[in-house]
Amino acid sequence: MKVLKFGGSSVASSQTIQQVLQVVKQTAENNKVLVVVSAFGKTTNKLIAAAEQAATKDNNYTLLFNEVKQHHLQVIRDLIATERQDEVKTKVEKLFSKLEILLQGCFLLEEITPKTLATISGFGELLSSYIISEAAKNELDAGYKDSRELIITSNSFENAQVNFKLTEKNCQDFFKKNNNQVTLLPGFIANTENGQSTTLGRGGSDYSAAIYAASLNAEELQIWTDVSGMYTANPSVVKEAFPIPHISYQEAMELSHFGAKVIYPPTIQPTLEKKIPIVIKNTFEPDNVGTLITNKTNNDSSVKGISHIEDITLLTLEGSGMVGVSGVSKRVFETLSVENINVVLITQASSEHSICIGIFDKDAQQATESINETFAFEIERNKVNPVIVEQNLAIIALVGDNMKNHQGLSGQMFSSLGKNNVNIRAIAQGASEKNISAVITSADAKKALNTLHEQFFEENIKQLNLFVTGVGNVGERFLAQIHKQTTYLKEHLKLNIRVVGISNSRKMTFNENGLDLTNWKEALENGEQTSLDAFFNKTKALNLRNSVFVDNTANKEVSEVYQNYLEQNIGVVTCNKIACASSLDNYKTLKRVSRKFNAPFLFETNVGAGLPVIDTLKNLIASGDRIHKIQAVLSGSLNFVFNNFNENTTFHDVVAQAQKEGFTEPDPKIDLSGIDVARKILILARESGYELELSDIDNNSFLTEKSLKTTNNDDFYASLTASEAHFQNIYKEANDKDCRLKYVATFENGKASVGLQHIPSDHPFYNLEGSDNIVLFFTERYPVNPLLIKGAGAGAEVTASGIFADVIRIGKN
């Protein structure tokens, strides 16, 4: 015999019930089948709501009653053979008449007793099981039996305890005489020995099925629902979660206790005692394998699943009066037991100075008042502090039978959470080591679950969630590079990089599952109005793991919000030099905040665009080397300009060409005034360990005073035309000496300067072509022949690639 249980979603409509009957028919070809069903989808909730409305004199209870009734009558019209519809309707109408009388009683008495509520809430299963049994008779040898005649319980009406001895005898006696190939029974409901209706708790239909399976020593218990088994995590929260093919009873109990709603926790115990396999299957995808639950599994994986419980309150009782005093824990738990308050998690300091318990939010006030009352004497004498209450919490749990055989799981768990700034409020681990639980803030639950799932289940594929501001020349190419390399990064670097948010100066758009980079422009154009605060607040609210803010602008205001992101454990990658070249205090603050909140702050493209200048410098310093001198051509735009300027061109036209090809900032005066180069050499000096301000950099500008005083691009370009003779004279002076013009940055003996220099033919800078940069590091290890870095130092494509490289660095760490 096989026992099949179908949940409310499986019997929600006439169409789904037909799918259920098809599953039953296939199973019944080779087995006797016992079918336990829940109420039609949402029926029990509606019945309880109707009862509550009736008890408050709300006449709207009749609307819910009629809604439920019409739905059941419609299913009869859809599924029952015409010649039997009147008979079935008559019995169903009688059940609804009884239900209506009970609701009217609640209305008149203005109350609901536990006994009345148990009776009302059980009508859904009575109705569904009878109607489905009649529909099954169309094609099957089907019968019906009321579970209240078989399952006997205690007198607790809403969470009754089963009398297994009487129940087993009733079941065996009935099924010895029952010859139907298929028998339909209502789940959830039972009777006391005196014949009063009780219920087995919400989710009790699973329990009913398990009771039947154990009582009859069934070959298998099948739980049919709307998902394909127990998942490694809640698939509505963790998109990468997948079904667990095989799991043990103990693992299933742990997962179900910690929020996995696929199976009702008490279900497992009766089948465990009889070693009856449980299979969880999907009614709507019956060919899927599902999850098999047995006593032992052959899978040696350490962690089988990750689960969580929301709406948790943490109560902490502490004080010196608890140390060495026996019976404190006993008093706490007796107090909660008397109030019928369930304890979800317990942890106690080894010093006995404190005891911490996790309970559900709904019980928090009563539990706090009761414990404070129990310890009133100690509290009054300052031996114990009043209960400390922390709310808006959740519990996350790693579950697996083999966790005890794998070292370092706790370290992996807490390290991965720590890297994503998930604060742990309490920790509990049983001696069996099948469960490691942690209490965290509810707001972090989704991030924590995804972080742990990535750590333990996703083949070491790390997901980065990017929030990109600035989609001009550099930003557009950056997004194109990510889109092009998506597959390569997953296959070769185990990185899944998703762009979750994009903004420009006007609009912003977000997609938590990742924006489609084939049409991001359209999505952005149709996005909402943006501001720096709005983009930050949305990024913060999403609270995704491994989040990175990418600044592709040269905007001062954008650079001023980096600290906000870093303080939220959101990494920052930027080509914007303003932040790192701002005041020394701000530079130090950003570095300190980055370390404190474990949020990477990378700015490789601040110097040399895509060249590994800063990374190389960091490695030199980290390895114990010391910088003595830096000489560099750090402006790709200025190098381009002076490589192309001569007596046959105009300075205006060469600068315009440089801007057109993307070698300059949007405001070319930033490059030509030398301020951009000054910022770069300042950053290199600071990264070398020297404390300088931008004002300490000696900037010898070659621009005229008129050009330097302009406030917009049009006036700036006009000033270049007016000063053409000045620029031609600069060129002629260098050319007459057989020298080339290079804008050189120098740092030596703690001082830095930038300016135009005449470079002779035997100098390393002489043959620097196009927009290339070159950096010479003179160090203790390279005192004479410097470490040289040379290559393209400007342009949207190489700058984008440098930003991309920083993102990859974060992913690989």
Side-chain angles (χ1 to χ4, degrees):
M1 172 181 285
K2 290 188 176 183
V3 178
L4 278 62
K5 180 266 176 180
F6 293 91
S9 59
S10 297
V11 293
S13 67
S14 301
Q15 292 76 21
T16 60
I17 293 170
Q18 287 175 326
Q19 291 175 282
V20 165
L21 293 174
Q22 187 61 34
V23 170
V24 173
K25 182 180 178 182
Q26 290 176 355
T27 309
E29 290 177 358
N30 301 308
N31 304 274
K32 263 196 150 184
V33 179
L34 192 158
V35 179
V36 178
V37 295
S38 297
F40 293 165
K42 307 299 182 184
T43 294
T44 304
N45 289 341
K46 291 177 182 178
L47 293 178
I48 292 173
E52 291 172 345
Q53 287 179 345
T56 58
K57 287 288 186 179
D58 184 349
N59 281 305
N60 286 326
Y61 83 88
T62 60
L63 299 177
L64 280 174
F65 171 81
N66 288 324
E67 182 182 332
V68 171
K69 181 177 180 179
Q70 291 307 313
H71 177 52
H72 285 72
L73 293 176
Q74 183 61 51
V75 173
I76 293 171
R77 288 191 290 270
D78 292 341
L79 299 182
I80 307 300
T82 305
E83 63 272 14
R84 291 189 293 110
Q85 282 191 12
D86 289 343
E87 176 189 347
V88 176
K89 283 181 181 178
T90 298
K91 183 165 182 177
V92 169
E93 291 277 10
K94 287 181 180 179
L95 287 172
F96 273 108
S97 294
K98 292 180 182 178
L99 175 59
E100 187 172 23
I101 290 169
L102 288 169
L103 291 171
Q104 288 173 345
C106 294
F107 184 85
L108 294 171
L109 295 173
E110 299 183 45
E111 69 171 8
I112 317 171
T113 66
K115 179 180 177 181
T116 303
L117 186 60
T119 304
I120 290 173
S121 61
F123 267 87
E125 279 73 14
L126 282 172
L127 290 160
S128 66
S129 57
Y130 172 68
I131 293 172
I132 293 172
S133 72
E134 291 298 318
K137 291 177 182 177
N138 293 340
E139 298 186 48
L140 296 166
D141 172 21
Y144 171 78
K145 183 65 175 176
D146 189 338
S147 290
R148 294 177 298 180
E149 298 173 20
L150 300 177
I151 300 178
I152 306 302
T153 70
S154 65
N155 293 324
S156 177
F157 295 103
E158 294 179 275
N159 282 287
Q161 301 299 308
V162 176
N163 184 326
F164 281 96
K165 185 175 180 180
L166 286 177
T167 298
E168 187 169 312
K169 182 179 184 303
N170 289 343
C171 291
Q172 291 178 356
D173 288 347
F174 172 75
F175 282 99
K176 280 179 184 176
K177 301 174 184 177
N178 178 48
N179 294 319
N180 292 118
Q181 188 71 10
V182 177
T183 303
L184 270 292
L185 301 102
F188 182 53
I189 58 174
N191 259 6
T192 66
E193 287 188 64
N194 297 327
Q196 296 178 317
S197 293
T198 61
T199 59
L200 303 178
R202 297 306 298 270
S205 292
D206 284 357
Y207 193 27
S208 300
I211 292 167
Y212 287 125
S215 297
L216 299 168
N217 292 303
E219 174 189 345
E220 185 177 82
L221 168 60
Q222 297 179 4
I223 306 291
W224 289 82
T225 181
D226 55 1
V227 293
S228 298
M230 296 191 82
Y231 277 65
T232 49
N234 186 339
S236 65
V237 178
V238 180
K239 301 302 181 184
E240 290 77 16
F242 55 87
I244 309 168
H246 196 182
I247 195 171
S248 73
Y249 293 120
Q250 290 78 12
E251 290 168 332
M253 279 194 287
E254 292 281 2
L255 285 173
S256 61
H257 173 71
F258 279 92
K261 296 178 171 50
V262 176
I263 189 168
Y264 182 53
T267 301
I268 299 164
Q269 192 61 43
T271 56
L272 184 155
E273 293 176 359
K274 295 290 185 73
K275 302 294 187 291
I276 297 169
I278 303 173
V279 180
I280 301 174
K281 300 275 284 181
N282 190 335
T283 305
F284 311 110
E285 296 179 357
D287 293 332
N288 287 359
V289 175
T291 296
L292 171 65
I293 305 174
T294 60
N295 191 41
K296 292 184 178 180
T297 70
N298 295 322
N299 193 331
D300 63 352
S301 62
S302 57
V303 180
K304 283 293 184 64
I306 307 165
S307 199
H308 79 297
I309 310 174
E310 296 277 7
D311 304 321
I312 294 294
T313 293
L314 208 58
L315 304 182
T316 302
L317 186 70
E318 62 182 19
S320 59
M322 296 169 58
V323 179
V325 178
S326 61
V328 173
S329 298
K330 176 177 178 289
R331 292 169 66 190
V332 171
F333 296 119
E334 277 186 347
T335 299
L336 297 174
S337 177
V338 168
E339 300 296 337
N340 200 29
I341 293 172
N342 183 41
V343 177
V344 185
L345 177 140
I346 307 165
T347 182
Q348 185 171 13
S350 59
S351 66
E352 302 181 15
H353 184 264
S354 68
I355 183 169
C356 185
I357 57 174
I359 61 174
F360 289 107
D361 286 346
K362 62 182 179 62
D363 299 321
Q365 183 175 350
Q366 184 62 53
T368 303
E369 293 174 355
S370 299
I371 295 174
N372 282 337
E373 184 177 340
T374 297
F375 289 88
F377 179 81
E378 289 87 348
I379 292 172
E380 183 179 349
R381 284 157 179 76
N382 296 319
K383 297 292 185 181
V384 173
N385 299 326
V387 171
I388 300 170
V389 181
E390 297 176 78
Q391 295 191 294
N392 301 315
L393 302 174
I395 297 175
I396 53 172
L398 291 187
V399 172
D401 280 345
N402 290 313
M403 285 167 52
K404 60 186 176 183
N405 299 321
H406 290 75
Q407 296 180 342
L409 288 178
S410 296
Q412 291 181 55
M413 176 181 182
F414 299 123
S415 174
S416 60
L417 292 176
K419 287 178 180 177
N420 279 279
N421 206 33
V422 176
N423 187 36
I424 308 294
R425 289 295 308 114
I427 301 167
Q429 181 173 6
S432 66
E433 299 185 47
K434 294 179 180 178
N435 177 309
I436 306 173
S437 303
V439 181
I440 62 174
T441 303
S442 289
D444 287 334
K446 181 176 182 178
K447 178 164 68 171
L449 286 168
N450 279 276
T451 296
L452 293 177
H453 196 272
E454 179 179 88
Q455 177 70 32
F456 291 104
F457 291 105
E458 295 176 28
E459 298 181 358
N460 296 320
I461 293 181
K462 184 175 183 179
Q463 180 174 291
L464 294 184
N465 296 294
L466 306 189
F467 299 86
V468 180
T469 190
V471 287
N473 285 338
V474 174
E476 183 174 353
R477 285 164 174 80
F478 171 66
L479 295 175
Q481 289 174 10
I482 290 177
H483 182 54
K484 179 182 177 182
Q485 292 298 106
T486 297
T487 302
Y488 177 88
L489 292 174
K490 285 184 179 179
E491 291 180 356
H492 296 274
L493 299 183
K494 301 299 181 183
L495 287 178
N496 178 24
I497 297 180
R498 306 187 313 173
V499 177
V500 175
I502 297 176
S503 74
N504 57 21
S505 60
R506 300 178 298 105
K507 297 285 187 72
M508 64 181 183
T509 184
F510 290 84
N511 186 327
E512 186 174 347
N513 297 319
L515 289 159
D516 182 355
L517 294 185
T518 61
N519 65 353
W520 64 265
K521 290 183 180 180
E522 180 182 349
L524 183 59
E525 189 59 34
N526 294 322
E528 56 187 301
Q529 295 297 312
T530 191
S531 67
L532 291 177
D533 286 343
F535 193 74
F536 167 71
N537 289 333
K538 180 67 174 180
T539 302
K540 175 183 173 183
L542 285 172
N543 197 23
L544 299 178
R545 69 191 188 282
N546 305 325
S547 291
V548 181
F549 173 66
V550 181
D551 177 15
N552 295 316
T553 75
N555 188 293
K556 181 176 184 292
E557 292 180 349
V558 176
S559 75
E560 291 170 348
V561 300
Y562 293 171
Q563 185 173 340
N564 297 342
Y565 285 93
L566 294 171
E567 288 176 342
Q568 296 300 319
N569 185 237
I570 298 169
V572 174
V573 170
T574 179
C575 62
N576 188 342
K577 292 173 280 292
I578 295 175
C580 288
S582 61
S583 70
L584 182 61
D585 284 345
N586 186 59
Y587 168 81
K588 286 183 173 181
T589 296
L590 292 176
K591 289 278 194 169
R592 176 180 53 78
V593 171
S594 170
R595 291 190 298 270
K596 178 180 178 180
F597 292 94
N598 197 31
F601 175 40
L602 300 183
F603 43 89
E604 182 65 67
T605 50
N606 278 195
V607 181
L611 296 176
V613 177
I614 292 176
D615 192 52
T616 301
L617 176 56
K618 286 181 177 179
N619 290 335
L620 288 172
I621 300 299
S623 66
D625 205 351
R626 181 172 175 79
I627 304 298
H628 292 162
K629 178 180 178 181
I630 301 173
Q631 280 188 308
V633 174
L634 296 174
S635 174
S637 54
L638 283 173
N639 200 41
F640 177 90
V641 167
F642 286 108
N643 279 338
N644 288 277
F645 176 57
N646 54 47
E647 69 273 13
N648 299 317
T649 62
T650 68
F651 197 73
H652 170 283
D653 290 348
V654 173
V655 173
Q657 183 185 356
Q659 183 174 26
K660 181 180 179 182
E661 295 190 21
F663 294 136
T664 73
E665 300 286 355
D667 177 2
K669 189 173 75 172
I670 294 175
D671 294 286
L672 272 69
S673 66
I675 186 65
D676 187 60
V677 178
R679 286 172 176 161
K680 291 177 180 179
I681 195 63
L682 173 65
I683 292 169
L684 292 182
R686 286 176 172 178
E687 291 296 303
S688 300
Y690 293 87
E691 297 188 349
L692 275 73
E693 298 284 3
L694 187 60
S695 58
D696 296 327
I697 310 298
D698 187 9
N699 185 354
N700 302 305
S701 179
F702 63 88
L703 290 177
T704 63
E705 191 70 21
K706 181 177 182 181
S707 294
L708 288 171
K709 288 183 176 180
T710 58
T711 57
N712 58 67
N713 282 4
D714 288 341
D715 289 347
F716 178 70
Y717 275 109
S719 75
L720 296 185
T721 300
S723 304
E724 181 63 23
H726 167 72
F727 298 121
Q728 287 291 343
N729 188 51
I730 290 174
Y731 169 76
K732 184 177 185 303
E733 185 178 348
N735 192 51
D736 288 346
K737 296 178 182 179
D738 293 325
C739 291
R740 299 184 72 176
L741 290 168
K742 301 293 179 185
Y743 202 87
V744 178
T746 303
F747 173 73
E748 188 174 12
N749 297 324
K751 296 183 178 181
S753 64
V754 298
L756 201 58
Q757 293 186 15
H758 295 166
I759 303 298
S761 60
D762 60 348
H763 196 282
F765 294 172
Y766 184 84
N767 291 315
L768 195 66
E769 300 297 334
S771 61
D772 285 359
N773 280 190
I774 187 169
V775 181
L776 306 180
F777 288 121
F778 294 86
T779 74
E780 289 183 359
R781 294 176 190 156
Y782 301 91
V784 179
N785 295 314
L787 177 63
L788 184 151
I789 301 171
K790 178 182 177 182
E797 198 69 39
V798 293
T799 302
S801 70
I803 295 167
F804 198 178
D806 271 349
V807 170
I808 292 172
R809 283 189 185 93
I810 291 175
K812 292 172 68 176
N813 288 334

